[in-house]
Amino acid sequence: MKFERPRGTRDFSPSDMERRDYILSQLRKVFESYAFERIETPVFEHTELFTTKSGQEITENLYTFKDKSGRDLCLRPELTASVARMYVSELAHMRKPVKLYYFGPMYRYERPQKGRYREFWQAGAELIGVEDYGADAEIVCLAADCLDRLGLRYELRLSHLGIIRGLLSDFGLSEEKQDEVLGLLDRDELEQVGDFIRKDAEYNLLKNLMEKKSSTYKDHSKLLKTISSELKGYGDAIFAIGELEKIVDLLVGQEINFIVDLGLSRGLSYYTDFVFDVRVEGLGAQDQVCGGGRYDNLIELFGGQPTPAVGFAFGFDRLVEALKLQGISFPEETFHVAVIPTTYEEDTVKAPTNDKEYTVKDYAVKIARNLRKEGFSVDYDVAGHKLKDQLSHASQAGVKYAVIIGPRELEKGKVVLRNMATKEEKQVEIDKLPKKIH
Ligand code: AMP
């Protein structure tokens, strides 16, 4: 019988995993350099956790199932809702801000295509408990520093949903209707927004706003001033513009490059205010590698005290793809040492280190284990290939040293240490081996 992978899933080879692990290690270093701490939450949750507020796009694509006791469960499609749930039940007592990061697989029943999978990984961060715009700016700096550390070229866009929400609210739309409109805007379905806004003047005001962009500091201030005057009378929208301006100023001061794009919307309906995303050229239709923003109502909605929060998630698989696309290489980890017996025969020799009888191969296993305990990464060939074959494999794999173990040297308590790069060989006492390898 032959089995295939479920649609939209992938297998990762050792070389894929080497790359993925390296990228994750870099992200973790940056998250931790900002004093964010890692958490984990279950891969499945109560379905209601996501149907409550995550928005139509998420709920339509849930992998749901009933367990044997009839509970409605689903595979998690994202992690912000889980973090908010965990915060309310476990972390609310912690000193604010609570700074958390996570990495793990998410599941969405989407139509698979390049860069869009049914099982994909996100690495994300959440900063909980601070309303000040300094928190929004810190989250953006964190995302930008992660991308810079990886060496990626990217485009960062910022916006503030309070501007659109403020307008829509003044046009008389309820919060649910606003969520629907934001969902449509996120999918670039501006025409359908006309069904929600009856007055042409109001529709045109919104359409005009969605087209506004700026890319330099001078442009940012000019743009924000222009829209403030265009939206005169819409108090909530003007307030949101002021909030965005503060974040923009702080990020300009930190020399972060970005675009203010008021056409940026976010499909997840718990976002209330500041939002941002990151795109990478060349990834095709699925070019967004990161999305984030402020969600000040979610924790209260999940039964906690009103608690402001801001966060983001990287689409990890897209980051991996983007790095490949931009030809960014990474240091490959390799075995440091190959321990090679010259014979796999069953003849024994007396080892002077402990006076016991060993086959050469068994003594090689002992040396390999000792070196591993000393912290070296050691390969020992259980398949028993010939010496010549093992040496050429070690050389191809970029191994630094071969420790060659033969019966004659072993009886004297020695082995041959071969520097794979220079091909230089010398006899070394077994006890001194760890010191001779570096
Ligand atoms: P979201 O949780 O929808 O804001 O998504 C955050 C990030 O996860 C996006 O910017 C994408 O990079 C990534 N992402 C979302 N859905 C998928 C998917 N189906 N396959 C791969 N990456 C995804």
Side-chain angles (χ1 to χ4, degrees):
M1 231 200 294
K2 195 169 162 235
F3 293 107
E4 300 208 338
R5 283 190 312 262
R7 203 164 128 74
T9 65
R10 288 153 299 155
D11 295 316
F12 299 106
S13 68
S15 68
D16 291 336
M17 284 313 294
E18 208 178 322
R19 179 175 277 267
R20 291 170 74 86
D21 282 345
Y22 171 75
I23 296 169
L24 175 62
S25 73
Q26 298 306 301
L27 295 179
R28 291 190 60 172
K29 279 194 181 125
V30 183
F31 286 145
E32 283 166 19
S33 75
Y34 275 74
F36 278 61
E37 295 176 298
R38 185 165 176 177
I39 53 159
E40 271 197 20
T41 62
V43 167
F44 58 91
E45 295 269 10
H46 291 290
T47 307
E48 240 189 319
L49 183 73
F50 300 103
T51 50
T52 305
K53 195 62 192 168
S54 294
Q56 190 195 355
E57 204 164 313
I58 290 279
T59 46
E60 272 175 5
N61 294 330
L62 281 180
Y63 272 93
T64 53
F65 59 98
K66 272 196 197 296
D67 73 3
K68 288 183 180 174
S69 304
R71 296 183 191 93
D72 287 310
L73 300 173
C74 72
L75 296 180
R76 64 185 183 196
E78 52 102 18
L79 222 89
T80 303
S82 302
V83 174
R85 172 193 57 66
M86 177 182 178
Y87 175 83
V88 171
S89 57
E90 322 257 348
L91 309 174
H93 63 279
M94 282 172 70
R95 184 172 175 271
K96 314 293 177 287
V98 176
K99 305 202 285 187
L100 309 169
Y101 80 91
Y102 60 82
F103 174 75
M106 311 294 153
Y107 300 85
R108 295 183 193 174
Y109 192 79
E110 295 188 291
R111 200 165 47 80
Q113 53 179 281
K114 190 168 171 281
R116 177 181 278 177
Y117 310 101
R118 290 184 172 171
E119 181 189 51
F120 61 97
W121 273 254
Q122 285 186 341
E126 315 287 349
L127 194 158
I128 304 173
V130 176
E131 204 177 340
D132 188 81
Y133 64 92
D136 306 71
E138 166 140 308
I139 276 290
V140 175
C141 286
L142 171 57
D145 285 351
C146 284
L147 296 164
D148 291 344
R149 178 157 187 135
L150 294 172
L152 207 60
R153 293 185 301 281
Y154 60 91
E155 183 184 275
L156 169 64
R157 303 189 301 165
L158 317 183
S159 185
H160 197 300
L161 296 186
I163 308 173
I164 301 175
R165 282 192 186 273
L167 277 188
L168 295 176
S169 161
D170 284 346
F171 297 165
L173 271 69
S174 66
E175 203 178 304
E176 287 74 44
K177 291 268 181 282
Q178 291 173 28
D179 291 347
E180 279 182 58
V181 169
L182 286 168
L184 289 172
L185 294 177
D186 188 38
R187 295 193 295 276
D188 285 331
E189 291 167 7
L190 190 64
E191 265 108 74
Q192 296 198 42
V193 173
D195 298 343
F196 292 82
I197 303 169
R198 259 163 263 124
K199 287 190 193 146
D200 281 351
E202 290 179 347
Y203 178 79
N204 289 337
L205 201 61
L206 186 70
K207 187 163 178 281
N208 175 43
L209 182 71
M210 298 293 295
E211 286 160 4
K212 293 276 198 305
K213 270 188 205 175
S214 63
S215 52
T216 64
Y217 181 54
K218 240 170 74 197
D219 286 353
H220 298 325
S221 345
K222 213 161 84 194
L223 175 86
L224 295 176
K225 282 200 175 62
T226 313
I227 53 170
S228 289
S229 65
E230 285 175 7
L231 300 184
K232 218 178 208 126
Y234 294 99
D236 289 347
I238 303 265
F239 178 79
I241 295 167
E243 290 288 293
L244 181 59
E245 202 163 11
K246 285 190 229 164
I247 299 168
V248 163
D249 283 347
L250 211 158
L251 291 175
V252 167
Q254 295 302 320
E255 290 163 50
I256 304 258
N257 282 321
F258 58 88
I259 292 173
V260 173
D261 183 348
L262 299 178
L264 168 64
S265 177
R266 305 275 304 122
L268 292 164
S269 43
Y270 47 68
Y271 287 121
T272 46
D273 306 84
F274 170 68
V275 284
F276 71 100
D277 77 357
V278 178
R279 285 166 191 267
V280 170
E281 210 182 310
L283 281 182
Q286 305 304 321
D287 61 350
Q288 193 200 72
V289 298
C290 174
R294 184 168 272 281
Y295 51 98
D296 283 353
N297 302 334
L298 193 63
I299 291 174
E300 188 181 5
L301 193 75
F302 287 176
Q305 295 293 320
T307 309
V310 52
F312 70 82
F314 283 122
F316 186 75
D317 310 276
R318 293 186 193 168
L319 280 186
V320 176
E321 200 49 44
L323 285 163
K324 257 193 221 159
L325 200 77
Q326 296 189 1
I328 297 166
S329 59
F330 66 102
E332 283 176 51
E333 285 282 319
T334 166
F335 290 107
H336 211 74
V337 185
V339 168
I340 311 175
T342 56
T343 167
Y344 282 80
E345 300 293 324
E346 294 298 330
D347 305 339
T348 55
V349 285
K350 192 180 257 177
T353 45
N354 61 4
D355 253 5
K356 282 191 191 147
E357 291 282 328
Y358 281 93
T359 62
V360 171
K361 66 178 165 111
D362 288 351
Y363 206 82
V365 171
K366 198 168 154 56
I367 291 180
R369 290 184 62 223
N370 277 339
L371 288 174
R372 289 173 185 141
K373 282 180 196 153
E374 293 285 339
F376 296 101
S377 167
V378 181
D379 191 22
Y380 165 79
D381 185 354
V382 284
H385 287 100
K386 292 258 179 314
L387 173 66
K388 204 169 137 217
D389 186 52
Q390 289 202 39
L391 281 172
S392 82
H393 174 71
S395 146
Q396 273 165 26
V399 166
K400 265 178 118 177
Y401 290 101
V403 175
I404 302 165
I405 299 160
R408 259 175 293 132
E409 292 84 10
L410 193 56
E411 279 182 333
K412 289 185 279 170
K414 290 187 173 171
V415 292
V416 172
L417 182 64
R418 179 185 170 95
N419 181 321
M420 294 301 292
T422 63
K423 299 198 169 70
E424 184 199 337
E425 288 188 358
K426 57 182 172 205
Q427 288 204 1
V428 174
E429 279 174 44
I430 292 169
D431 297 345
K432 304 227 169 83
L433 199 49
K435 284 203 191 74
K436 302 278 178 192
I437 304 174
H438 27 250

